[in-house]
Amino acid sequence: MARATRRRARRGETSREPLPGTDSRPGRAAPVAIVVAGPADAVPFIRSEPVGSVIEVVCLDGGGDAEHRALEAAVTQARRRGCVFPGEPFFLDAEAGNLTGQILDTLHDIGPLRVRTLDPDPVHDDIDRERKLPIVNEPQARGQVARSALRAARRYQLAVGTPVFVDCRRAGAENGLPAEACTRYPLPTRWLMAGTDGRLSAYLPTAAGVVRWTEGATESEGWRGPELLEGPELMPGLTVLRGPEGYAHLIGLSRTKRKEGGFAVEVVCATQYQTGRPVGPWTSIGNPNGASWQKAREVGFPAATFDAAGSLHLFVRNFGHSVSARRQSPKGALSGWETLGGMRTADELAAFPAADGGVHMVARARDARAAVHWYRRDAASGWAEDRRIPVSPYPGSLSAAPEAGAVRFRYAGSNEVCVWWPGAQAPIGLGGPDGVGPVDGVTGADIQGWGCTVLVRGGAGGVAAIGAHPDGRPDTGVWWAESGEPSLVPPAAAFDSRGRVVITTVGADGRLRVARQQLGPSGLEFTRWEVQ
């Protein structure tokens, strides 16, 4: 790959020179734009791209010869496994200013469905004891490029009117991990949800905010969407919950500029009361480190669940790498932030209700292949910590199980899907070591008259895999079958108004795919995928 010099990121000002051995024929998947500070920063992104990806690299500067050699090697390896590079990397003009505008013009030239960039708010490495401020040793250019890429991707999506999915690679993430294992703002595991009228809605985060697909009143009407929901500027992650009243609750992080300087990062939430109607107003739940914006910007992505009394329990990884919790009553009253302390945790939490009405939270440990479990029976009992749980999760795989009081994860040693109930001496293995990411599912599915748990996960090459076991008996084993449909996001499952399991994915073209269970004597069968 020849080194480009100051290639301008302006529409119409440059011609694309395809790399030898690449193929830019029409009909391929939409490109992914990798926007980074220097060539070496692009290497882990390229290595984690799946087979068949169309990759465009955008760099703030050209870097040195060693960086270019590393980039060339990564491109060569990616081409060998079937990835496509339509042209040489873009190198922006850092001295010209308006970095956001340069990236925006580049995105218009590329036309990406996905944008992958660096961490806009890397966590601190040390503390300035005198000024009592965090010290971040990550190069400033990386955060600058990431923040500009987020702004540019938002403006690009608003201009073209189609979803753009953004992934920010967490600073300091281990090399070799797949993208799903080191994202700063995770995609939701449960993003398909039935409303009070039984119709399904799908919610996903994009560069410009949350987009929604809504099921029609009848199957023949199909789905409406994707529709961009009104709201604040959100970071590209989302938590979706179905509350006890049947409403969908959307939880995310907003990042806004402060008049006094710096940026305010807050947990925000909104509620979908009626299917297909506008969501309610986005309200702030705050930040456990809100007294200092320099600390508050490091907050992890929120996890949440409801208890039996209808209170919302929200958890975030705080500045000190422990967990902070806050509770909202059914009437909207907020408790203060409570620091749980204990084991230092990574940016990966799973919250889920207990069978006895309480609340569980499991967090992946920051410094070991382990996890910590917190439990609260009721408001009077307080939180109890258990560090000796037999949970060793592969990064990016923790999720609340469809059964009350259980968590699913991929075992760090083998990538096998597992389920664990608090109090159990060991998790139960469910097979499925191929693929990456979390597992979604539903319980109580009718399969030949038996109540079963149906699971869905990302499989080999991102193809959705579906499995099932009798309700409450994961020890009987799970037989997994590929669905034939690759997905850009973790596949999701829910029941429709007729009690059928519905599986949804997002294809390489950014369009929603839907498959429904076919009830009858033939076992677990689904319709062909319908493109919405």
Side-chain angles (χ1 to χ4, degrees):
M1 181 177 63
R3 177 176 178 175
T5 57
R6 296 286 180 206
R7 182 175 181 182
R8 295 299 303 275
R10 297 289 176 184
R11 284 169 284 168
E13 292 186 7
T14 60
S15 61
R16 305 308 311 272
E17 298 178 1
L19 296 172
T22 62
D23 185 354
S24 57
R25 293 174 297 176
R28 287 186 176 270
V32 53
I34 296 174
V35 185
V36 290
D41 295 327
V43 171
F45 289 97
I46 294 172
R47 287 176 176 169
S48 64
E49 275 300 308
V51 173
S53 293
V54 180
I55 304 172
E56 297 272 18
V57 177
V58 183
C59 299
L60 175 62
D61 60 54
D65 291 339
E67 286 194 69
H68 274 273
R69 286 194 296 270
L71 178 58
E72 288 175 352
V75 169
T76 298
Q77 293 172 0
R79 287 166 49 196
R80 287 173 179 168
R81 67 174 189 270
C83 293
V84 176
F85 293 81
E88 294 181 358
F90 288 90
F91 294 108
L92 307 180
D93 188 351
E95 297 179 358
N98 191 14
L99 181 57
T100 299
Q102 291 188 63
I103 297 174
L104 177 59
D105 282 335
T106 309
L107 297 183
H108 276 288
D109 189 26
I110 294 171
L113 173 63
R114 294 183 295 139
V115 173
R116 300 185 61 197
T117 190
L118 300 164
D119 193 336
D121 285 309
V123 299
H124 67 286
D125 306 280
D126 203 351
I127 298 290
D128 183 329
R129 305 297 175 184
E130 183 176 341
R131 300 169 58 204
K132 297 182 179 180
L133 291 176
I135 297 174
V136 178
N137 290 320
E138 188 78 358
Q140 291 185 1
R142 292 179 177 173
Q144 179 188 13
V145 164
R147 292 187 290 272
S148 293
L150 288 171
R151 289 191 293 267
R154 176 181 175 84
R155 295 175 190 176
Y156 173 73
Q157 179 174 336
L158 293 174
V160 300
T162 56
V164 177
F165 298 97
V166 181
D167 173 56
C168 298
R169 182 181 176 87
R170 187 179 64 252
E174 181 183 340
N175 286 332
L177 287 176
E180 295 84 353
C182 48
T183 182
R184 182 73 160 85
Y185 308 104
L187 294 169
T189 303
R190 294 180 180 174
W191 49 274
L192 181 66
M193 207 149 290
T196 54
D197 62 354
R199 286 194 292 156
L200 294 168
S201 297
Y203 305 89
L204 283 172
T206 65
V210 179
V211 296
R212 180 185 66 195
W213 290 263
T214 306
E215 185 182 28
T218 64
E219 287 184 42
S220 61
E221 292 183 17
W223 293 61
R224 185 174 72 250
E227 174 187 8
L228 180 63
L229 302 181
E230 292 187 6
E233 293 192 15
L234 300 174
M235 307 311 285
L238 188 67
T239 295
V240 185
L241 289 174
R242 191 174 194 268
E245 69 292 279
Y247 305 144
H249 297 263
L250 312 178
I251 303 171
L253 285 178
S254 71
R255 191 180 195 277
T256 55
K257 196 169 185 177
R258 301 169 71 248
K259 293 180 180 179
E260 306 86 351
F263 292 85
V265 176
E266 295 182 302
V267 179
V268 293
C269 65
T271 304
Q272 176 80 68
Y273 297 102
Q274 293 179 288
T275 305
R277 300 288 295 170
V279 296
W282 289 82
T283 59
S284 173
I285 300 182
N287 186 312
N289 301 113
S292 167
W293 73 264
Q294 294 94 335
K295 294 181 178 180
R297 68 170 191 81
E298 295 189 21
V299 70
F301 203 80
T305 191
F306 285 92
D307 63 20
S311 292
L312 173 68
H313 294 259
L314 185 115
F315 306 88
V316 294
R317 190 269 305 151
N318 58 35
F319 177 80
H321 274 274
S322 59
V323 175
S324 293
R326 196 169 198 185
R327 186 177 73 258
Q328 186 177 46
S329 74
K331 294 184 178 180
L334 283 168
S335 70
W337 285 103
E338 184 176 358
T339 301
L340 303 188
M343 182 184 292
R344 291 190 173 186
T345 65
D347 283 3
E348 190 170 353
L349 317 176
F352 50 101
D356 62 4
V359 169
H360 296 286
M361 189 277 295
V362 173
R364 184 169 63 85
R366 188 187 73 166
D367 303 317
R369 286 189 169 187
V372 60
H373 168 226
W374 286 90
Y375 171 65
R376 185 173 193 167
R377 186 179 302 277
D378 52 46
S381 61
W383 291 99
E385 180 192 21
D386 182 6
R387 302 188 187 187
R388 295 180 172 271
I389 62 172
V391 175
S392 179
Y394 189 86
S397 68
L398 269 179
S399 64
E403 307 94 326
V407 65
R408 295 193 189 275
F409 63 97
R410 293 176 181 268
Y411 176 57
S414 65
N415 202 45
E416 180 184 13
V417 176
C418 297
V419 61
W420 177 75
W421 283 269
Q425 294 186 354
I428 296 175
L430 304 176
D434 56 314
V436 293
V439 179
D440 192 23
V442 293
T443 60
D446 182 354
I447 302 179
Q448 296 179 307
W450 294 89
C452 293
T453 298
V454 176
L455 303 174
V456 61
R457 61 175 175 82
V463 173
I466 303 171
H469 63 76
D471 282 340
R473 292 299 308 276
D475 55 307
T476 60
V478 176
W479 180 77
W480 294 97
E482 287 191 352
S483 69
E485 186 65 32
S487 182
L488 294 181
V489 301
F495 287 115
D496 68 8
S497 59
R498 292 176 55 185
R500 297 169 298 182
V501 180
V502 177
I503 307 294
T504 51
T505 65
V506 174
D509 57 0
R511 298 178 67 182
L512 187 73
R513 265 77 168 164
V514 179
R516 295 179 191 270
Q517 180 188 9
Q518 293 181 304
L519 297 176
S522 301
L524 184 61
E525 292 187 356
F526 286 83
T527 62
R528 290 186 177 183
W529 291 97
E530 296 179 1
V531 181
Q532 305 299 323

